[in-house]
Amino acid sequence: MLGEVEHHRATGRRPSCFDEAEVPGGHACLAGQLELAAVVDIWRFEDGLIAEHWDVRQPVPEPSAVPNGMF
């Protein structure tokens, strides 16, 4: 996954990162195609180590569908 970090937050035990990345998309991944997606990663640290990791992604809509954009 290649992407560009748009926002990051590192306070407390749950830092997060919001970025735009090219990821395998839906049924397209069967054909080896990538789609542009908004990705959020959240980690929980315990004793200086990653204890948990969550992520969520959403396809970035065409510019005409969202005039203000996602980023």
Side-chain angles (χ1 to χ4, degrees):
M1 178 171 82
L2 300 173
E4 180 176 327
V5 174
E6 299 291 336
H7 307 282
H8 64 276
R9 176 184 150 280
T11 58
R13 295 181 351 170
R14 291 187 180 89
S16 61
C17 178
F18 177 59
D19 57 86
E20 183 177 30
E22 288 187 333
V23 297
H27 299 291
C29 67
L30 299 175
Q33 296 177 352
L34 298 175
E35 70 178 4
L36 197 58
V39 181
V40 175
D41 286 289
I42 304 168
W43 301 269
R44 182 177 69 82
F45 285 82
E46 202 171 279
D47 298 325
L49 301 172
I50 296 174
E52 293 184 76
H53 169 254
W54 303 271
D55 61 49
V56 63
R57 64 181 168 181
Q58 172 184 339
V60 175
E62 294 297 321
S64 60
V66 183
N68 294 331
M70 290 185 76
F71 298 98

